[in-house]
PDB file of all heavy atoms in Angstrom:
ATOM      1  N   SER A  99     -26.223 107.098 -47.657  1.00 71.00           N
ATOM      2  CA  SER A  99     -26.694 106.706 -48.979  1.00 71.00           C
ATOM      3  C   SER A  99     -26.765 107.844 -50.000  1.00 71.00           C
ATOM      4  O   SER A  99     -26.355 107.682 -51.147  1.00 71.00           O
ATOM      5  CB  SER A  99     -28.067 106.037 -48.862  1.00 71.00           C
ATOM      6  OG  SER A  99     -28.987 106.926 -48.230  1.00 71.00           O
ATOM      7  N   ASP A 100     -27.283 108.977 -49.608  1.00 86.00           N
ATOM      8  CA  ASP A 100     -27.586 110.042 -50.568  1.00 86.00           C
ATOM      9  C   ASP A 100     -26.777 111.290 -50.216  1.00 86.00           C
ATOM     10  O   ASP A 100     -27.147 112.067 -49.343  1.00 86.00           O
ATOM     11  CB  ASP A 100     -29.085 110.333 -50.541  1.00 86.00           C
ATOM     12  CG  ASP A 100     -29.520 111.264 -51.665  1.00 86.00           C
ATOM     13  OD1 ASP A 100     -28.672 112.039 -52.155  1.00 86.00           O
ATOM     14  OD2 ASP A 100     -30.697 111.224 -52.033  1.00 86.00           O
ATOM     15  N   GLU A 101     -25.680 111.501 -50.932  1.00 89.00           N
ATOM     16  CA  GLU A 101     -24.789 112.622 -50.618  1.00 89.00           C
ATOM     17  C   GLU A 101     -25.473 113.967 -50.835  1.00 89.00           C
ATOM     18  O   GLU A 101     -25.308 114.890 -50.036  1.00 89.00           O
ATOM     19  CB  GLU A 101     -23.529 112.539 -51.472  1.00 89.00           C
ATOM     20  CG  GLU A 101     -22.537 113.652 -51.174  1.00 89.00           C
ATOM     21  CD  GLU A 101     -21.273 113.532 -52.005  1.00 89.00           C
ATOM     22  OE1 GLU A 101     -21.118 112.524 -52.729  1.00 89.00           O
ATOM     23  OE2 GLU A 101     -20.441 114.461 -51.939  1.00 89.00           O
ATOM     24  N   ALA A 102     -26.256 114.082 -51.884  1.00 90.00           N
ATOM     25  CA  ALA A 102     -26.929 115.354 -52.166  1.00 90.00           C
ATOM     26  C   ALA A 102     -27.918 115.693 -51.065  1.00 90.00           C
ATOM     27  O   ALA A 102     -27.997 116.851 -50.624  1.00 90.00           O
ATOM     28  CB  ALA A 102     -27.636 115.279 -53.515  1.00 90.00           C
ATOM     29  N   ALA A 103     -28.679 114.690 -50.609  1.00 90.00           N
ATOM     30  CA  ALA A 103     -29.639 114.929 -49.531  1.00 90.00           C
ATOM     31  C   ALA A 103     -28.923 115.274 -48.233  1.00 90.00           C
ATOM     32  O   ALA A 103     -29.355 116.159 -47.486  1.00 90.00           O
ATOM     33  CB  ALA A 103     -30.526 113.701 -49.339  1.00 90.00           C
ATOM     34  N   ARG A 104     -27.824 114.572 -47.987  1.00 93.00           N
ATOM     35  CA  ARG A 104     -27.050 114.869 -46.775  1.00 93.00           C
ATOM     36  C   ARG A 104     -26.526 116.292 -46.801  1.00 93.00           C
ATOM     37  O   ARG A 104     -26.631 117.029 -45.812  1.00 93.00           O
ATOM     38  CB  ARG A 104     -25.870 113.889 -46.672  1.00 93.00           C
ATOM     39  CG  ARG A 104     -24.993 114.082 -45.432  1.00 93.00           C
ATOM     40  CD  ARG A 104     -23.596 113.531 -45.662  1.00 93.00           C
ATOM     41  NE  ARG A 104     -22.893 114.296 -46.693  1.00 93.00           N
ATOM     42  CZ  ARG A 104     -21.709 113.945 -47.192  1.00 93.00           C
ATOM     43  NH1 ARG A 104     -21.138 112.822 -46.805  1.00 93.00           N
ATOM     44  NH2 ARG A 104     -21.111 114.694 -48.108  1.00 93.00           N
ATOM     45  N   ASN A 105     -25.970 116.706 -47.922  1.00 94.00           N
ATOM     46  CA  ASN A 105     -25.413 118.053 -48.016  1.00 94.00           C
ATOM     47  C   ASN A 105     -26.497 119.116 -47.880  1.00 94.00           C
ATOM     48  O   ASN A 105     -26.260 120.186 -47.293  1.00 94.00           O
ATOM     49  CB  ASN A 105     -24.663 118.230 -49.332  1.00 94.00           C
ATOM     50  CG  ASN A 105     -23.366 117.444 -49.372  1.00 94.00           C
ATOM     51  OD1 ASN A 105     -22.897 116.948 -48.329  1.00 94.00           O
ATOM     52  ND2 ASN A 105     -22.777 117.310 -50.541  1.00 94.00           N
ATOM     53  N   ALA A 106     -27.673 118.837 -48.397  1.00 94.00           N
ATOM     54  CA  ALA A 106     -28.784 119.780 -48.248  1.00 94.00           C
ATOM     55  C   ALA A 106     -29.163 119.923 -46.775  1.00 94.00           C
ATOM     56  O   ALA A 106     -29.457 121.034 -46.306  1.00 94.00           O
ATOM     57  CB  ALA A 106     -29.981 119.309 -49.070  1.00 94.00           C
ATOM     58  N   GLN A 107     -29.158 118.819 -46.050  1.00 95.00           N
ATOM     59  CA  GLN A 107     -29.466 118.870 -44.619  1.00 95.00           C
ATOM     60  C   GLN A 107     -28.379 119.630 -43.855  1.00 95.00           C
ATOM     61  O   GLN A 107     -28.679 120.391 -42.929  1.00 95.00           O
ATOM     62  CB  GLN A 107     -29.606 117.453 -44.072  1.00 95.00           C
ATOM     63  CG  GLN A 107     -30.832 116.724 -44.581  1.00 95.00           C
ATOM     64  CD  GLN A 107     -30.852 115.255 -44.185  1.00 95.00           C
ATOM     65  OE1 GLN A 107     -29.958 114.780 -43.495  1.00 95.00           O
ATOM     66  NE2 GLN A 107     -31.875 114.540 -44.632  1.00 95.00           N
ATOM     67  N   LEU A 108     -27.132 119.425 -44.245  1.00 96.00           N
ATOM     68  CA  LEU A 108     -26.036 120.142 -43.599  1.00 96.00           C
ATOM     69  C   LEU A 108     -26.170 121.653 -43.810  1.00 96.00           C
ATOM     70  O   LEU A 108     -25.965 122.447 -42.882  1.00 96.00           O
ATOM     71  CB  LEU A 108     -24.689 119.653 -44.135  1.00 96.00           C
ATOM     72  CG  LEU A 108     -24.255 118.251 -43.717  1.00 96.00           C
ATOM     73  CD1 LEU A 108     -23.048 117.791 -44.529  1.00 96.00           C
ATOM     74  CD2 LEU A 108     -23.921 118.213 -42.221  1.00 96.00           C
ATOM     75  N   ARG A 109     -26.518 122.042 -45.008  1.00 97.00           N
ATOM     76  CA  ARG A 109     -26.663 123.478 -45.289  1.00 97.00           C
ATOM     77  C   ARG A 109     -27.874 124.069 -44.562  1.00 97.00           C
ATOM     78  O   ARG A 109     -27.825 125.210 -44.100  1.00 97.00           O
ATOM     79  CB  ARG A 109     -26.769 123.692 -46.804  1.00 97.00           C
ATOM     80  CG  ARG A 109     -25.488 123.315 -47.549  1.00 97.00           C
ATOM     81  CD  ARG A 109     -25.541 123.695 -49.018  1.00 97.00           C
ATOM     82  NE  ARG A 109     -24.307 123.289 -49.689  1.00 97.00           N
ATOM     83  CZ  ARG A 109     -24.191 122.233 -50.495  1.00 97.00           C
ATOM     84  NH1 ARG A 109     -25.255 121.473 -50.749  1.00 97.00           N
ATOM     85  NH2 ARG A 109     -23.042 121.935 -51.050  1.00 97.00           N
ATOM     86  N   ALA A 110     -28.925 123.289 -44.443  1.00 97.00           N
ATOM     87  CA  ALA A 110     -30.088 123.762 -43.696  1.00 97.00           C
ATOM     88  C   ALA A 110     -29.741 123.931 -42.222  1.00 97.00           C
ATOM     89  O   ALA A 110     -30.157 124.908 -41.575  1.00 97.00           O
ATOM     90  CB  ALA A 110     -31.252 122.782 -43.863  1.00 97.00           C
ATOM     91  N   ALA A 111     -28.975 122.979 -41.676  1.00 97.00           N
ATOM     92  CA  ALA A 111     -28.547 123.076 -40.279  1.00 97.00           C
ATOM     93  C   ALA A 111     -27.625 124.273 -40.088  1.00 97.00           C
ATOM     94  O   ALA A 111     -27.672 124.957 -39.055  1.00 97.00           O
ATOM     95  CB  ALA A 111     -27.847 121.789 -39.854  1.00 97.00           C
ATOM     96  N   ALA A 112     -26.779 124.541 -41.080  1.00 98.00           N
ATOM     97  CA  ALA A 112     -25.883 125.694 -41.000  1.00 98.00           C
ATOM     98  C   ALA A 112     -26.681 126.993 -40.916  1.00 98.00           C
ATOM     99  O   ALA A 112     -26.318 127.924 -40.171  1.00 98.00           O
ATOM    100  CB  ALA A 112     -24.956 125.726 -42.212  1.00 98.00           C
ATOM    101  N   LYS A 113     -27.774 127.065 -41.649  1.00 98.00           N
ATOM    102  CA  LYS A 113     -28.615 128.266 -41.611  1.00 98.00           C
ATOM    103  C   LYS A 113     -29.247 128.461 -40.230  1.00 98.00           C
ATOM    104  O   LYS A 113     -29.457 129.604 -39.797  1.00 98.00           O
ATOM    105  CB  LYS A 113     -29.681 128.188 -42.694  1.00 98.00           C
ATOM    106  CG  LYS A 113     -29.107 128.306 -44.107  1.00 98.00           C
ATOM    107  CD  LYS A 113     -30.182 128.164 -45.175  1.00 98.00           C
ATOM    108  CE  LYS A 113     -29.567 128.251 -46.564  1.00 98.00           C
ATOM    109  NZ  LYS A 113     -30.579 128.075 -47.644  1.00 98.00           N
ATOM    110  N   GLN A 114     -29.528 127.365 -39.540  1.00 98.00           N
ATOM    111  CA  GLN A 114     -30.042 127.482 -38.175  1.00 98.00           C
ATOM    112  C   GLN A 114     -28.993 128.100 -37.259  1.00 98.00           C
ATOM    113  O   GLN A 114     -29.301 128.963 -36.432  1.00 98.00           O
ATOM    114  CB  GLN A 114     -30.452 126.101 -37.659  1.00 98.00           C
ATOM    115  CG  GLN A 114     -31.652 125.510 -38.369  1.00 98.00           C
ATOM    116  CD  GLN A 114     -31.988 124.105 -37.885  1.00 98.00           C
ATOM    117  OE1 GLN A 114     -31.278 123.539 -37.047  1.00 98.00           O
ATOM    118  NE2 GLN A 114     -33.054 123.537 -38.398  1.00 98.00           N
ATOM    119  N   LEU A 115     -27.730 127.653 -37.386  1.00 98.00           N
ATOM    120  CA  LEU A 115     -26.669 128.245 -36.562  1.00 98.00           C
ATOM    121  C   LEU A 115     -26.475 129.719 -36.911  1.00 98.00           C
ATOM    122  O   LEU A 115     -26.299 130.561 -36.023  1.00 98.00           O
ATOM    123  CB  LEU A 115     -25.363 127.478 -36.745  1.00 98.00           C
ATOM    124  CG  LEU A 115     -24.198 127.963 -35.856  1.00 98.00           C
ATOM    125  CD1 LEU A 115     -23.393 126.785 -35.320  1.00 98.00           C
ATOM    126  CD2 LEU A 115     -23.269 128.901 -36.620  1.00 98.00           C
ATOM    127  N   ILE A 116     -26.506 130.033 -38.193  1.00 97.00           N
ATOM    128  CA  ILE A 116     -26.373 131.434 -38.618  1.00 97.00           C
ATOM    129  C   ILE A 116     -27.460 132.290 -37.978  1.00 97.00           C
ATOM    130  O   ILE A 116     -27.191 133.395 -37.469  1.00 97.00           O
ATOM    131  CB  ILE A 116     -26.439 131.525 -40.154  1.00 97.00           C
ATOM    132  CG1 ILE A 116     -25.220 130.870 -40.785  1.00 97.00           C
ATOM    133  CG2 ILE A 116     -26.543 132.987 -40.596  1.00 97.00           C
ATOM    134  CD1 ILE A 116     -25.385 130.567 -42.270  1.00 97.00           C
ATOM    135  N   HIS A 117     -28.683 131.779 -37.989  1.00 97.00           N
ATOM    136  CA  HIS A 117     -29.805 132.527 -37.397  1.00 97.00           C
ATOM    137  C   HIS A 117     -29.592 132.743 -35.904  1.00 97.00           C
ATOM    138  O   HIS A 117     -29.808 133.859 -35.391  1.00 97.00           O
ATOM    139  CB  HIS A 117     -31.107 131.773 -37.643  1.00 97.00           C
ATOM    140  CG  HIS A 117     -32.286 132.371 -36.923  1.00 97.00           C
ATOM    141  ND1 HIS A 117     -32.908 133.549 -37.329  1.00 97.00           N
ATOM    142  CD2 HIS A 117     -32.954 131.972 -35.793  1.00 97.00           C
ATOM    143  CE1 HIS A 117     -33.885 133.843 -36.504  1.00 97.00           C
ATOM    144  NE2 HIS A 117     -33.950 132.902 -35.565  1.00 97.00           N
ATOM    145  N   VAL A 118     -29.158 131.703 -35.189  1.00 98.00           N
ATOM    146  CA  VAL A 118     -28.956 131.811 -33.741  1.00 98.00           C
ATOM    147  C   VAL A 118     -27.838 132.802 -33.432  1.00 98.00           C
ATOM    148  O   VAL A 118     -27.972 133.673 -32.560  1.00 98.00           O
ATOM    149  CB  VAL A 118     -28.660 130.434 -33.126  1.00 98.00           C
ATOM    150  CG1 VAL A 118     -28.146 130.571 -31.693  1.00 98.00           C
ATOM    151  CG2 VAL A 118     -29.915 129.564 -33.143  1.00 98.00           C
ATOM    152  N   VAL A 119     -26.725 132.682 -34.129  1.00 98.00           N
ATOM    153  CA  VAL A 119     -25.604 133.600 -33.886  1.00 98.00           C
ATOM    154  C   VAL A 119     -26.010 135.034 -34.195  1.00 98.00           C
ATOM    155  O   VAL A 119     -25.723 135.965 -33.425  1.00 98.00           O
ATOM    156  CB  VAL A 119     -24.373 133.195 -34.717  1.00 98.00           C
ATOM    157  CG1 VAL A 119     -23.295 134.281 -34.650  1.00 98.00           C
ATOM    158  CG2 VAL A 119     -23.799 131.876 -34.217  1.00 98.00           C
ATOM    159  N   SER A 120     -26.682 135.239 -35.323  1.00 97.00           N
ATOM    160  CA  SER A 120     -27.109 136.593 -35.699  1.00 97.00           C
ATOM    161  C   SER A 120     -28.041 137.178 -34.647  1.00 97.00           C
ATOM    162  O   SER A 120     -27.933 138.363 -34.295  1.00 97.00           O
ATOM    163  CB  SER A 120     -27.811 136.557 -37.059  1.00 97.00           C
ATOM    164  OG  SER A 120     -26.949 136.082 -38.072  1.00 97.00           O
ATOM    165  N   SER A 121     -28.952 136.348 -34.130  1.00 97.00           N
ATOM    166  CA  SER A 121     -29.886 136.811 -33.107  1.00 97.00           C
ATOM    167  C   SER A 121     -29.165 137.155 -31.811  1.00 97.00           C
ATOM    168  O   SER A 121     -29.435 138.195 -31.191  1.00 97.00           O
ATOM    169  CB  SER A 121     -30.944 135.735 -32.856  1.00 97.00           C
ATOM    170  OG  SER A 121     -31.828 136.122 -31.826  1.00 97.00           O
ATOM    171  N   LEU A 122     -28.233 136.297 -31.390  1.00 97.00           N
ATOM    172  CA  LEU A 122     -27.509 136.541 -30.144  1.00 97.00           C
ATOM    173  C   LEU A 122     -26.639 137.791 -30.241  1.00 97.00           C
ATOM    174  O   LEU A 122     -26.603 138.606 -29.312  1.00 97.00           O
ATOM    175  CB  LEU A 122     -26.643 135.330 -29.798  1.00 97.00           C
ATOM    176  CG  LEU A 122     -27.399 134.069 -29.363  1.00 97.00           C
ATOM    177  CD1 LEU A 122     -26.459 132.881 -29.289  1.00 97.00           C
ATOM    178  CD2 LEU A 122     -28.084 134.291 -28.017  1.00 97.00           C
ATOM    179  N   VAL A 123     -25.951 137.951 -31.355  1.00 96.00           N
ATOM    180  CA  VAL A 123     -25.111 139.148 -31.522  1.00 96.00           C
ATOM    181  C   VAL A 123     -25.982 140.393 -31.615  1.00 96.00           C
ATOM    182  O   VAL A 123     -25.646 141.450 -31.067  1.00 96.00           O
ATOM    183  CB  VAL A 123     -24.207 138.996 -32.760  1.00 96.00           C
ATOM    184  CG1 VAL A 123     -23.501 140.310 -33.083  1.00 96.00           C
ATOM    185  CG2 VAL A 123     -23.169 137.900 -32.532  1.00 96.00           C
TER     186      VAL A 123
END
Side-chain angles (χ1 to χ4, degrees):
S99 57
D100 189 335
E101 182 178 354
R104 181 204 66 187
N105 289 347
Q107 291 172 2
L108 289 169
R109 294 187 181 104
K113 291 178 181 178
Q114 292 177 357
L115 184 140
I116 293 164
H117 173 75
V118 167
V119 170
S120 299
S121 177
L122 290 170
V123 171

